Amino acid sequence: MSVYKKSHMTYNEKRHNHHFRKTHMEQFDFITNLLGIKDPNITILDFVDAGTHKEVIAKLDYPAPKCHNCHGQMAKYDLQKESKIPYLECAGYKTLIRLRKRRFRCQDCGKMAVAETSLVKKKHQIPAIVNHKIAQKLIEKASMTAIAECLAVSTSTVIRKLKEFQFKTDLTWLPTNMSWDEYSFKKGKMSFIAQDFDSQNILAILDGRTQATIRNHFLHYSRQVRNRVSVITMDMFSPYYDIAKKLFPNDKIVLDRFHIVQHMSRAMNRLHIQVMNQFDRKSYEYKAFKRYWKLIQQDSRKLNDKRFYRPTLTNKEILEKLLSYSQELREHYELYQLLLFHFQEKQAENFFDIIEELLPSVNPIFHTIFKTFLKDKNKIINALELPYSNAKLEATNNLIKVIKCNAFGFRNFENFKLRILIALNIKKERTKLGAH
Ligand SMILES: [Zn+2]
């Protein structure tokens, strides 16, 4: 509220404003600050509690500028009919700004113009600050419908913002360590994802996961660039071994440790269920198996002596009781724990000795997985020799799961892809967004 501006007010406006200053000025100044409205040409005239939402009545006015058409002097004309601008929530309430903008008329050529403000970009309906907020929320993991709901804009506004993020593929560079994975972005639709193992940045998200799709994508990189890649980490049972070998001649394929452990714990879980189902559904044993499944899954070294589940027994004691119900379960549990131990301690030789020795006598569930382990022996040994942690990839997996859970809006692959790119590639560059 500059002094300069006041000198251009009409008599009535001055009188009105005088009254205003005395009674409400401080309050409205406060609201202006609270709302983060930076444009000094916007004056808040009133603040209305409309029950379900709040309304801010404001006007946009400043001295008449020069005419864009003939460069003659314009003069103030009238105030335009109010435009409704959905604003950020204020103290938990949706807030609407009813803004009346000054119109100007050229004294020479008669052209009309409307006052402009940084609050809402020209020809935009959405305030810049709301746009910024949408961008910020897209980076966080909120769902698109939740963002639309929370900022009182339409879902299509959120999608439009999503599309403003652009990601260029840098064809002159590939990381030394890549990880490949696949995700279903909606039922029955798989997509292929390649990541920089170290930074976790996404290198490619492809619509589909056929050999041809992957080959066509990576053939955009020169052979020289592709030769940089020395390790590709992927899940076992992967159909990608051959194509990876062809595209990346220097590459060593490594099975990702997270998935190896996951395959073991899934086998243990299936066996647990098999054993559980041998008991009557109403029996004490069945209920105990059902209730304490986690104790069997867990790395035995992490079991503690705290009396957490029940006041009378520790986790170790409960586990011992469960194992006493079934000899088969006990044997496989011990085997599973032993394999976990050697795997985590990176003792590849011990790990495979046990597998080879017990292959003929284990339950079919374990038999199948042991055969796969043996088939991919070299790739598993690679995994044990590389100094990578699983935590990173696990984080990505979880993130993609969260995005998928939130993905009400993703009928469209491009949007799914953008969302993941934003979440994984932009996070670290958050500050750059301010310019948007
Ligand atoms: Zn003019």
Side-chain angles (χ1 to χ4, degrees):
M1 275 170 225
S2 62
V3 179
Y4 178 66
K5 211 183 84 199
K6 277 173 207 152
S7 66
H8 287 262
M9 284 172 180
T10 62
Y11 174 72
N12 270 340
E13 277 173 335
K14 268 182 193 158
R15 215 179 55 168
H16 179 66
N17 259 48
H18 181 71
H19 164 73
F20 220 49
R21 260 199 307 280
K22 279 197 161 167
T23 56
H24 295 294
M25 180 92 159
E26 273 177 21
Q27 189 192 342
F28 288 142
D29 255 0
F30 177 71
I31 292 169
T32 312
N33 285 332
L34 194 68
L35 293 176
I37 296 173
K38 303 246 165 63
D39 188 342
N41 298 320
I42 290 178
T43 313
I44 295 184
L45 305 173
D46 207 357
F47 190 74
V48 183
D49 188 343
T52 54
H53 67 283
K54 311 271 184 201
E55 289 190 3
V56 175
I57 318 294
K59 108 188 143 165
L60 170 67
D61 197 6
Y62 51 79
K66 289 268 190 277
C67 173
H68 280 296
N69 189 39
C70 71
H71 302 286
Q73 183 56 49
M74 299 191 101
K76 287 193 180 190
Y77 195 69
D78 58 355
L79 285 169
Q80 204 182 34
K81 209 174 116 236
E82 65 184 27
S83 45
K84 293 174 201 162
I85 302 166
Y87 205 67
L88 295 181
E89 266 187 12
C90 197
Y93 283 93
K94 300 232 159 69
T95 305
L96 180 76
I97 300 179
R98 296 180 177 274
L99 185 67
R100 300 190 70 183
K101 296 176 187 168
R102 170 64 69 192
R103 291 207 300 170
F104 304 105
R105 187 174 179 278
C106 178
Q107 290 169 322
D108 299 323
C109 73
K111 276 258 179 201
M112 301 291 294
V114 182
E116 289 170 18
T117 171
S118 60
L119 180 71
V120 188
K121 272 193 216 153
K122 216 176 167 182
K123 287 177 185 157
H124 279 225
Q125 310 286 306
I126 309 295
I129 193 167
V130 173
N131 256 316
H132 188 99
K133 199 83 192 164
I134 295 173
Q136 200 182 324
K137 284 190 176 289
L138 281 169
I139 291 169
E140 292 159 9
K141 287 162 273 179
S143 79
M144 297 212 279
T145 38
I147 297 171
E149 165 74 21
C150 156
L151 296 176
V153 295
S154 67
T155 316
S156 56
T157 301
V158 179
I159 292 175
R160 209 177 311 124
K161 191 73 204 169
L162 182 67
K163 287 183 175 157
E164 275 178 28
F165 289 96
Q166 287 191 345
F167 293 89
K168 280 196 198 131
T169 308
D170 179 4
L171 292 176
T172 66
W173 183 86
L174 278 173
T176 330
N177 304 326
M178 247 198 288
S179 67
W180 287 8
D181 213 337
E182 51 189 28
Y183 296 94
S184 65
F185 88 91
K186 64 180 183 191
K187 250 192 179 164
K189 279 260 188 178
M190 296 298 281
S191 55
F192 169 90
I193 297 188
Q195 272 175 279
D196 178 338
F197 196 100
D198 298 305
S199 71
Q200 275 190 281
N201 274 349
I202 298 270
L203 302 161
I205 301 181
L206 308 179
D207 192 2
R209 49 160 180 172
T210 62
Q211 304 242 336
T213 309
I214 296 162
R215 191 177 52 239
N216 290 344
H217 176 79
F218 284 109
L219 284 177
H220 284 113
Y221 296 88
S222 71
R223 194 170 184 81
Q224 206 183 350
V225 173
R226 279 183 280 129
N227 282 348
R228 261 186 63 87
V229 179
S230 63
V231 173
I232 300 180
T233 307
M234 54 182 89
D235 187 9
M236 63 180 60
F237 309 123
S238 177
Y240 306 133
Y241 298 156
D242 293 341
I243 185 110
K245 272 277 156 233
K246 277 179 202 149
L247 285 164
F248 303 96
N250 296 337
D251 164 50
K252 187 175 187 182
I253 293 169
V254 172
L255 291 177
D256 125 37
R257 292 216 292 260
F258 168 70
H259 282 117
I260 297 171
V261 172
Q262 202 178 42
H263 287 301
M264 287 195 279
S265 74
R266 273 190 199 147
M268 190 63 233
N269 191 36
R270 285 215 298 276
L271 184 86
H272 172 197
I273 291 169
Q274 205 177 68
V275 169
M276 179 175 84
N277 286 334
Q278 291 163 6
F279 290 86
D280 187 275
R281 277 177 165 268
K282 284 181 184 136
S283 67
Y284 177 78
E285 289 87 347
Y286 183 94
K287 284 175 190 159
F289 278 133
K290 191 153 188 127
R291 179 160 178 199
Y292 300 114
W293 64 272
K294 234 182 179 159
L295 294 182
I296 291 178
Q297 288 289 299
Q298 218 173 26
D299 184 335
S300 62
R301 289 183 291 171
K302 286 176 190 159
L303 277 184
N304 56 39
D305 286 317
K306 264 191 233 153
R307 293 175 194 274
F308 178 71
Y309 282 92
R310 284 168 53 153
T312 50
L313 294 174
T314 67
N315 284 347
K316 275 183 186 160
E317 288 161 345
I318 293 169
L319 180 73
E320 181 47 42
K321 214 161 169 51
L322 288 179
L323 297 178
S324 74
Y325 299 150
S326 159
Q327 186 58 27
E328 191 184 24
L329 186 71
R330 182 189 291 279
E331 283 165 7
H332 285 84
Y333 174 80
E334 280 163 5
L335 171 61
Y336 164 69
Q337 292 296 338
L338 203 56
L339 289 175
L340 267 187
F341 176 81
H342 288 307
F343 190 80
Q344 271 146 6
E345 298 299 317
K346 301 180 181 180
Q347 297 162 348
E349 211 178 307
N350 291 339
F351 183 79
F352 281 104
D353 277 353
I354 293 171
I355 287 177
E356 276 162 31
E357 198 184 318
L358 296 182
L359 181 71
S361 54
V362 288
N363 177 292
I365 295 169
F366 276 75
H367 190 86
T368 312
I369 192 127
F370 280 8
K371 270 168 67 184
T372 321
F373 282 176
L374 288 171
K375 196 173 99 262
D376 288 334
K377 189 172 176 177
N378 291 334
K379 300 182 185 80
I380 293 176
I381 291 173
N382 287 343
L384 291 176
E385 281 169 354
L386 288 167
Y388 292 149
S389 82
N390 299 318
K392 276 186 181 178
L393 278 179
E394 208 171 338
T396 307
N397 278 334
N398 289 339
L399 178 68
I400 290 174
K401 251 185 245 159
V402 170
I403 290 173
K404 268 162 51 185
C405 289
N406 283 337
F408 314 105
F410 297 122
R411 261 162 240 118
N412 167 315
F413 174 77
E414 285 304 313
N415 290 346
F416 168 73
K417 176 171 158 181
L418 274 170
R419 206 53 208 279
I420 290 175
L421 287 172
I422 288 170
L424 287 166
N425 289 10
I426 290 197
K427 214 153 196 171
K428 294 148 213 149
E429 301 168 51
R430 194 172 273 216
T431 43
K432 284 186 188 170
L433 268 170
H436 237 296

